[in-house]
Amino acid sequence: MSKTTEKKSAAHKSYSAQIWHQFKKNKGAVIGLVIFILIVIVAIAANFVFDYDTDIVGMNSAQRLLPPSLEHPFGTDQMGRDVLARVCYGAKYSLLIGVVSVLISVVFGSIIGAIAGFVGGTVESVIMRTVELLLMIPGLLLVILIVYCLGATIPNLMLALGLSTVPHFARNARAAVLTVRGNEYVEAARAIGSTGPKTLFKHVLPNALSPILVQATSRIAGCIIDAAGYSFLGLGVPAPLPEWGAMLSDGRGFMREYPFLEIFPGLAIMITVLAINLVGDGLRDALDPKLKR
Amino acid sequence: MWKYICKRIAVLIPLVFLVSFIVYALMDFAPGDPVRSLVGENMTEEQLEQKREELGFNDPLIVRYGRYMKGVFQGDFGKSMYGGKDVLTEYMSRLPYTLKLAGLAILLTIIIAIPLGVIAAVKHNSWIDTIASTTAMMGLSIPGFWLGLMLMLLFSLQLEWLPTSGAEDGIKSYIMPAITLAVANASLSTRTTRSSMLDQIRADYLRTARAKGVNEKTVILKHALRNALIPIITIIGSQFTVMFSGAVVVESVFSWPGVGNLTLTAIRGHDITAATSYAILTTVLTAVTLLAVDVLYAYIDPRIKAQYTGK
């Protein structure tokens, strides 16, 4: 009896509630989500707790290169700044770069891919042949070039990272649209006089979003790693800003005597990326029960 | 089959034009004057102008690009702006370092990922599966260059077992860069192997094989793994090609004398010809390797071979 009521209530749940129900069952995903929320809170709070000019980019020669202690749990860097403060403050850069870059890829990629999948014919062939060509260009090279040519700033890095994965999202979006396009509700929408663009953006694309969302989540994690790598090379976030990759680059010269300068920013990247990957796995399983392992 | 291969090779022509134009134009667009950074600050404006004329920098972009591409199609990839070294010779002298490192990293990936993924799938939901999946998740989340720094900290600076950088110490120099590159690759490949094997293990033909009395080892290795191999090869093949250019950050951490580092130096030095040529060479190399992977599919899976030869 209770089982049937449970089943009934599950059927009445909204789509997002069903996804949440599935998501909650995955312990790893929930842990990832909790860690992620904590990181977001730290990133926001750091803006109010620390003073940018003194704590983050200031200089305090009396406090240079102190090892971790109660006062400075992560030690201080070569400019006498508290590493913990900088790591906390740096969270916002990584999160913003990850999210904004992927948004750029998702928006452009989905529109291009969706049009290809929905319109079909010559338009599809032209778009997809171009996408295939673009996919063969080494993406990393493209990012380095764009950042080098436009200048190493955060918006340029976001743009470069975003543009370099547009073809990947376009390919995925096209595949997703193709699976939805033939459904009866699309035909019904057409039958009641819905125009092409309206059918695409109101009926087809929203139903094709799951695989794009899953791809986007894992790409945010990848973007954070990539952005840190470019900043480490000096082709990303410029030096005084406490972005984690830039901090690793700054501290490299002091690595032998002061290894803590290299350990904590790296751990911060790893924990953030791990949390997002766990959430991504949970989302993938929740959105597509067939994929559940 | 040959028709398929020719078609794929024909795609290289538009690809080379696309890549070269993007790189050439972007490099040209970059702020700063390459001629001035070449000759130094002490030259007079006249001397600078003369040098610019000599190097052909006064022509419009499209003329210079056309001249450059004409050379490329005659096999002349130009000379480096600094020191005048032949770009192709320079690339070829660095390529073995990148290929050897990538090959070693992929070998490690295969040795680790395939057995681990197969065991995790066979012992689905057991403690081995949990450990394998968790390790793979962690490996996927570690930034490669940071892992390299940490290995360097431990094995070079603290224990002093391995050299910090360069490739002069033979196999010892390869250990840390190869492990650094292999960790992320092996993590992704383990996950792919596991999920691809899980798809096969539930398939009906395995039950048939078992019912016919085939022993379990053969069922898993000969029947399931062979069918699960396509996605695994796809992932490993693309990882191999990504390392031609994608190892830039890791190559930079270990001051590796590979093509990634070489390209980065050319871009930073505003060397338009060299950067464009390296980009073309890397792209062609990547495309040819990917084609090789696709041809390999045909040998593993007759169904795919039929697709290539049909229509």
Side-chain angles (χ1 to χ4, degrees):
Chain A
M1 179 62 196
S2 69
K3 259 188 183 171
T4 35
T5 19
E6 221 173 66
K7 260 187 186 167
K8 254 188 188 169
S9 69
H12 284 297
K13 270 182 193 162
S14 71
Y15 184 53
S16 50
Q18 282 177 32
I19 292 171
W20 174 239
H21 183 74
Q22 283 291 331
F23 187 87
K24 269 192 308 190
K25 284 191 197 159
N26 185 333
K27 256 186 253 154
V30 174
I31 295 172
L33 187 64
V34 171
I35 299 174
F36 182 72
I37 293 171
L38 284 177
I39 296 169
V40 173
I41 293 173
V42 166
I44 297 170
N47 271 312
F48 302 105
V49 176
F50 304 111
D51 180 65
Y52 180 77
D53 291 319
T54 54
D55 300 332
I56 308 300
V57 294
M59 167 125 187
N60 184 352
S61 37
Q63 302 258 302
R64 288 183 76 234
L65 295 165
L66 298 176
S69 63
L70 274 181
E71 201 191 341
H72 301 290
F74 290 1
T76 62
D77 69 3
Q78 67 276 20
M79 307 282 271
R81 303 170 294 208
D82 183 52
V83 176
L84 176 64
R86 283 173 64 82
V87 166
C88 292
Y89 204 88
K92 73 170 177 194
Y93 296 108
S94 289
L95 293 177
L96 273 177
I97 293 172
V99 172
V100 176
S101 315
V102 172
L103 266 181
I104 295 174
S105 323
V106 168
V107 170
F108 287 103
S110 311
I111 293 177
I112 295 170
I115 291 175
F118 187 69
V119 178
T122 323
V123 176
E124 185 183 19
S125 322
V126 171
I127 292 179
M128 290 327 287
R129 291 297 94 76
T130 316
V131 163
E132 278 160 21
L133 268 187
L134 291 173
L135 279 171
M136 290 169 87
I137 300 177
L140 202 130
L141 197 74
L142 209 60
V143 175
I144 292 180
L145 269 169
I146 296 176
V147 175
Y148 174 76
C149 298
L150 301 180
T153 65
I154 296 176
N156 289 345
L157 182 64
M158 289 172 175
L159 187 72
L161 281 169
L163 288 181
S164 69
T165 44
V166 165
H168 301 79
F169 277 87
R171 189 174 52 178
N172 198 5
R174 172 182 164 266
V177 164
L178 281 181
T179 57
V180 174
R181 192 176 66 169
N183 284 345
E184 280 98 354
Y185 59 82
V186 177
E187 214 169 296
R190 276 210 183 108
I192 57 169
S194 172
T195 57
K198 197 182 162 194
T199 317
L200 173 59
F201 290 106
K202 220 181 152 194
H203 301 282
V204 176
L205 205 50
N207 286 297
L209 274 183
S210 308
I212 301 171
L213 191 66
V214 171
Q215 187 187 16
T217 319
S218 77
R219 185 56 206 148
I220 291 178
C223 250
I224 291 177
I225 290 187
D226 289 352
Y230 294 121
S231 298
F232 182 77
L233 288 181
L235 287 165
V237 180
L241 296 179
E243 197 270 344
W244 296 330
M247 287 174 74
L248 290 172
S249 171
D250 276 353
R252 200 177 166 190
F254 304 89
M255 193 165 91
R256 187 186 287 267
E257 286 84 13
Y258 310 98
F260 57 87
L261 288 177
E262 294 300 279
I263 293 174
F264 295 113
L267 274 179
I269 304 174
M270 187 180 148
I271 292 168
T272 309
V273 171
L274 184 63
I276 297 173
N277 275 334
L278 286 170
V279 172
D281 267 16
L283 261 184
R284 185 197 60 196
D285 292 349
L287 287 172
D288 190 350
K290 271 180 289 174
L291 283 173
K292 201 158 165 33
R293 300 276 177 253
Chain B
M1 193 74 196
W2 281 108
K3 209 174 148 194
Y4 173 79
I5 294 173
C6 290
K7 235 196 234 165
R8 287 281 299 264
I9 290 175
V11 175
L12 282 179
I13 296 167
L15 182 65
V16 164
F17 273 105
L18 187 73
V19 169
S20 57
F21 189 73
I22 291 176
V23 178
Y24 203 94
L26 276 176
M27 288 294 291
D28 193 64
F29 183 71
D33 182 350
V35 182
R36 186 174 279 283
S37 53
L38 174 68
V39 298
E41 299 295 326
N42 298 331
M43 264 194 176
T44 63
E45 205 53 49
E46 269 174 21
Q47 286 170 303
L48 197 68
E49 192 53 39
Q50 198 190 339
K51 189 81 187 170
R52 202 171 274 145
E53 190 66 49
E54 194 184 302
L55 292 168
F57 268 92
N58 283 338
D59 296 325
L61 169 69
I62 199 77
V63 174
R64 279 180 288 138
Y65 174 72
R67 196 163 49 213
Y68 165 75
M69 283 310 281
K70 203 178 147 196
V72 167
F73 276 91
Q74 289 165 349
D76 174 16
F77 283 84
K79 293 205 175 351
S80 159
M81 214 168 67
Y82 303 93
K85 277 188 193 158
D86 184 62
V87 169
L88 186 63
T89 319
E90 189 71 8
Y91 189 87
M92 287 305 167
S93 73
R94 301 290 197 94
L95 187 60
Y97 290 101
T98 291
L99 286 184
K100 274 191 265 178
L101 184 59
L104 196 61
I106 285 299
L107 193 70
L108 281 175
T109 301
I110 294 171
I111 293 173
I112 298 167
I114 296 185
L116 203 60
V118 170
I119 294 170
V122 173
K123 308 260 177 209
H124 189 208
N125 285 337
S126 69
W127 62 272
I128 300 181
D129 185 21
T130 311
I131 290 177
S133 303
T134 313
T135 316
M137 188 52 143
M138 301 281 275
L140 206 61
S141 306
I142 299 182
F145 69 99
W146 182 65
L147 177 68
L149 287 172
M150 292 297 107
L151 291 176
M152 202 186 268
L153 198 61
L154 182 63
F155 293 106
S156 307
L157 301 179
Q158 302 292 330
L159 301 171
E160 297 185 354
W161 289 351
L162 297 167
T164 44
S165 61
E168 290 92 35
D169 291 278
I171 187 71
K172 264 187 163 180
S173 336
Y174 282 84
I175 297 175
M176 284 196 295
I179 291 177
T180 304
L181 288 171
V183 166
N185 290 341
S187 306
L188 189 60
S189 304
T190 304
R191 281 161 64 98
T192 309
T193 308
R194 177 176 173 273
S195 67
S196 183
M197 279 296 285
L198 280 177
D199 281 340
Q200 300 302 330
I201 279 173
R202 292 166 186 162
D204 290 337
Y205 68 84
L206 280 201
R207 202 178 311 154
T208 313
R210 286 201 190 98
K212 277 161 61 183
V214 179
N215 76 37
E216 192 58 24
K217 204 171 141 194
T218 320
V219 168
I220 296 299
L221 296 181
K222 275 215 162 142
H223 295 251
L225 184 59
R226 178 148 185 189
N227 281 292
L229 222 45
I230 293 287
I232 303 172
I233 292 178
T234 309
I235 278 290
I236 293 179
S238 79
Q239 285 174 342
F240 185 63
T241 58
V242 163
M243 276 190 278
F244 297 153
S245 60
V248 175
V249 190
V250 173
E251 282 194 4
S252 173
V253 167
F254 290 103
S255 312
W256 193 253
V259 292
N261 237 341
L262 184 71
T263 313
L264 188 65
T265 314
I267 294 175
R268 280 189 167 147
H270 212 147
D271 192 341
I272 303 180
T273 309
T276 314
S277 296
Y278 297 148
I280 294 177
L281 291 165
T282 302
T283 308
V284 170
L285 197 66
T286 308
V288 171
T289 313
L290 286 177
L291 174 60
V293 172
D294 283 351
V295 171
L296 188 65
Y297 288 164
Y299 285 95
I300 292 171
D301 194 334
R303 283 168 300 185
I304 292 180
K305 191 173 184 176
Q307 269 176 31
Y308 290 167
T309 45
K311 276 180 257 177

